[in-house]
């Protein structure tokens, strides 16, 4: 029997640690938050039973306003559409939370799907963070337009991403599909050189 080890899609390059990048004389750090568990959740946000079951199973209130998130206890629940959410969890906790969701939602119309290691999350922090991302992202990342807690599905260069602002113009998380992770990491490194 072969032992299988789960590895980051950036194991060969991000494993070297965070990269310090410079944009117009200001710096930021690029790194990876590797091996998070991620689940996609679908259901009816107008069903009070669905909403309360999600809260009971995850500890997070279901975000029902476009481009918002519910965050707590190391978990993030992102609104992706009127009936779709992305739940990001610490590694190794996804199976238990998925089982809890399935039990709490029994009898309801819903879908819970583990994304496995299909995506990863990049971290961009520092005074040049917004400027670095803006080199490839069409969103206005100024604090007045994209304050802390803002969330958007967009693209950076040619990679589709979910962009979450932790601190306006200073700290972001970029969730990207595994197949685009190395491309995006290298693109950001080049854009910030």
């Amino acid at each position: 029997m072969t032992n299988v080890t789960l590895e980051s899609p950036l194991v060969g390059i991000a494993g070297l640690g965070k990269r310090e990048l410079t944009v117009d004389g200001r710096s930021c750090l690029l790194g990876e938050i590797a091996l998070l568990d991620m689940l996609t959740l679908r259901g009816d946000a107008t069903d009070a039973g669905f909403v309360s079951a999600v809260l009971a199973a995850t500890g997070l209130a279901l975000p029902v306003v476009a481009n918002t998130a519910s965050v707590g206890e190391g978990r993030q629940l992102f609104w992706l559409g009127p009936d779709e959410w992305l739940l990001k969890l610490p590694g190794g906790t996804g199976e238990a939370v998925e089982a809890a969701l399935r039990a709490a939602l029994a009898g309801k119309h819903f879908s819970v799907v583990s994304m496995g290691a299909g995506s990863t999350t990049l971290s961009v922090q520092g005074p040049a963070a917004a400027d670095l991302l803006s080199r490839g992202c069409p969103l206005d990342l100024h604090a007045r337009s994209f304050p802390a807690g803002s969330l958007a599905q967009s693209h950076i260069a040619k990679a589709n991403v979910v962009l979450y602002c932790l601190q306006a113009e200073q700290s972001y998380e970029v969730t990207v599909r595994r197949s685009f992770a190395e491309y995006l990491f290298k693109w950001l490194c080049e854009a910030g050189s």
Side-chain angles (χ1 to χ4, degrees):
M1 182 169 182
T2 305
N3 289 333
V4 177
T5 302
L6 184 60
E7 293 182 331
S8 154
L10 302 176
V11 68
I13 55 175
L16 302 174
K18 290 187 176 185
R19 304 284 173 93
E20 184 170 359
L21 306 175
T22 304
V23 179
D24 299 328
R26 297 182 306 146
S27 67
C28 62
L29 293 175
L30 173 64
E32 181 187 20
I33 306 168
L35 306 177
L36 295 174
D37 286 345
M38 297 186 206
L39 305 172
T40 55
L41 172 64
R42 297 198 75 150
D44 183 358
T46 64
D47 178 350
F50 176 80
V51 173
S52 63
V54 171
L55 176 60
T58 66
L60 299 173
L62 189 71
V64 294
V65 175
N67 300 322
T68 59
S70 183
V71 179
E73 301 177 29
R75 299 174 176 189
Q76 299 171 319
L77 184 57
F78 294 163
W79 183 96
L80 297 182
D83 68 348
E84 183 178 9
W85 298 267
L86 172 63
L87 178 59
K88 295 172 62 177
L89 306 156
T93 65
E95 284 184 29
V97 173
E98 180 180 358
L101 278 165
R102 290 185 182 285
L105 293 168
K108 299 273 181 210
H109 178 72
F110 75 95
S111 170
V112 178
V113 178
S114 172
M115 293 176 59
S119 294
T120 194
T121 299
L122 304 179
S123 169
V124 184
Q125 300 175 327
D131 291 337
L132 175 66
L133 295 173
S134 291
R135 289 189 169 188
C137 182
L139 297 174
D140 180 357
L141 299 179
H142 189 277
R144 71 178 170 270
S145 300
F146 206 74
S150 293
L151 172 74
Q153 295 178 75
S154 188
H155 65 87
I156 299 173
K158 295 179 182 178
N160 291 331
V161 300
V162 176
L163 183 61
Y164 180 59
C165 179
L166 298 165
Q167 181 183 351
E169 300 184 29
Q170 297 280 322
S171 182
Y172 301 88
E173 289 184 1
V174 181
T175 301
V176 61
R177 291 183 189 265
R178 180 179 190 90
S179 57
F180 280 89
E182 184 174 345
Y183 159 78
L184 183 57
F185 192 90
K186 289 179 176 179
W187 189 94
L188 289 167
C189 286
E190 186 68 26
S193 60

